[in-house]
Amino acid sequence: MDQKRPERAVDLLTEIADREPVAHLVVVGSGPLAAAVRRRAEAAGVADRVHMLGHRDDVAEILAGLDVLVVTSSDEGVPGVVIEAAMAGCPVVTYRLGGVSDVVLDGLTGRVVDGEDVQAMAAAVSAVLDDPASRRRMSDAARDHSRNFSMSEIACRYESHLLELFETDSVNDHVR
């Protein structure tokens, strides 16, 4: 759980606190880090713009309503929420980690920030928020790209891979 680093999202909000229109942070989910996030937001003076929603069953609708999803984790594989955001047409700003670059195509479906620099992420988020036309293009591109991660597409890839393995195994059996 600690790898999710939600406190970085509060730090990011603090970095862009003076922008207009005012940015808000929406946190979906609950867990042991929620209290620390609240305390950090209070200490930073942004608690009125941090909305802790807790567990929700309507995550797809929430993602569709966001201007941008930020992923502030320090370690991930391919986060499911990034695929869900793409399917909902929500651009993502994330650090470059795990397989996230397979889903977030930098400059096309969102922004991928090198390192784990909150200021660099804040600049990327501001760039996305400040350019509605680009954000709409990212949203459309994210939806298009998300088709690569649909269950039917993934099932076809697995089937193809398994058939290749089977054929290779069959050939090897005949050669022995």
Side-chain angles (χ1 to χ4, degrees):
M1 259 310 185
D2 289 343
Q3 82 270 12
K4 296 296 185 187
R5 305 290 307 267
E7 78 281 358
R8 287 181 178 170
V10 175
D11 296 345
L12 184 149
L13 181 63
T14 303
E15 285 288 324
I16 62 173
D18 295 333
R19 74 177 316 285
E20 289 293 333
V22 174
H24 289 256
L25 174 65
V26 176
V27 181
V28 177
S30 57
L33 302 176
V37 169
R38 278 192 210 92
R39 284 191 302 274
R40 187 123 177 185
E42 288 168 6
V46 294
D48 61 325
R49 289 185 273 143
V50 175
H51 311 280
M52 307 287 288
L53 303 185
H55 173 79
R56 297 290 294 256
D57 292 325
D58 59 344
V59 173
E61 289 82 4
I62 292 169
L63 288 168
L66 298 179
D67 290 322
V68 63
L69 171 73
V70 297
V71 178
T72 56
S73 301
S74 60
D75 186 33
E76 291 281 358
V78 178
V81 70
V82 174
I83 295 171
E84 289 178 274
M87 289 177 172
C90 180
V92 175
V93 175
T94 180
Y95 294 123
R96 186 177 308 282
L97 47 100
V100 76
S101 292
D102 293 334
V103 183
V104 182
L105 306 177
D106 189 35
L108 183 63
T109 66
R111 299 290 310 275
V112 180
V113 177
D114 289 321
E116 294 182 16
D117 180 355
V118 172
Q119 291 173 331
M121 182 172 269
V125 167
S126 289
V128 171
L129 293 176
D130 290 343
D131 189 347
S134 175
R135 195 169 60 243
R136 278 190 296 281
R137 285 190 300 275
M138 285 181 177
S139 176
D140 292 341
R143 271 192 205 91
D144 288 344
H145 184 59
S146 74
R147 292 184 185 113
N148 294 317
F149 303 95
S150 69
M151 291 303 285
S152 59
E153 180 64 28
I154 297 297
C156 285
R157 284 192 213 154
Y158 274 116
E159 177 184 34
S160 175
H161 183 66
L162 290 171
L163 287 172
E164 284 177 25
L165 289 173
F166 178 75
E167 288 170 3
T168 302
D169 253 3
S170 295
V171 169
N172 288 336
D173 285 344
H174 293 292
V175 173
R176 291 184 202 162

